[in-house]
């Protein structure tokens, strides 16, 4: 049975490994090795994602199945360009689920947590960015009423990806 809970400091190494594995599983084929390694080092080293656990600016929820982190959702301060992002929007920074747990409701539970957290904070909108060719994720977010409102570059090493900004009024 999958347990959903806030990430704890001791989850840091396992969460970083799960996030890196998920990123490589989904996007690894798109990048030069050095760009991918640079991104993974910056995003998931101890100074990256693990350091955000318990930080007052971030909330991280994990889905744990038999001791393994199957997925996570991270909410944090909005860093997307405004405009097009509406003032006061909350940002869903990351929502990752490993392949064995896709299609089992993990992403939905984490997304609903993120929406609830944004509503509790009285954010008028929830925004996120998603890679333009990640069609599965784009369909998933559309089911929550999210619509594309713009684009911005997402850097992986020296490669700029075409990310789309999605938004929903809360």
């Amino acid at each position: 049975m999958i347990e959903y809970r806030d990430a704890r400091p001791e989850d840091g190494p396992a969460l970083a490994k799960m996030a890196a594995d998920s990123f490589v599983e989904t996007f690894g084929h798109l990048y030069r090795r050095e760009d991918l390694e640079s991104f993974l080092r910056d995003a998931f080293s101890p100074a990256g994602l693990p350091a955000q656990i318990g930080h007052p600016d971030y909330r991280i929820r994990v889905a744990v199945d038999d001791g393994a982190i199957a997925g996570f959702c991270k909410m944090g301060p909005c860093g997307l360009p405004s405009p097009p992002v509406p003032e006061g929007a909350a940002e869903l920074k990351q929502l990752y689920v490993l392949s064995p747990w896709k299609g089992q409701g993990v992403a939905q539970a984490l997304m609903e947590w993120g929406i609830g957290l944004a509503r509790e904070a009285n954010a008028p909108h929830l925004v996120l960015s998603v890679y333009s060719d990640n069609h599965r994720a784009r369909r998933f977010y559309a089911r929550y009423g999210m619509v594309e409102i713009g684009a911005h570059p997402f850097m992986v090493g020296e490669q700029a990806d075409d990310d789309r900004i999605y938004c929903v009024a809360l």
Side-chain angles (χ1 to χ4, degrees), residues 59-81:
R59 291 284 306 274
I60 301 171
R61 190 90 167 155
V62 293
V64 181
D65 188 13
D66 196 25
I69 297 177
F72 79 99
C73 181
K74 180 175 83 175
M75 299 287 292
C78 189
L80 297 171

Side-chain angles (χ1 to χ4, degrees), residues 82-95:
S82 180
V85 171
E87 192 68 35
E91 184 180 352
L92 190 156
K93 306 292 253 180
Q94 292 169 305
L95 196 164

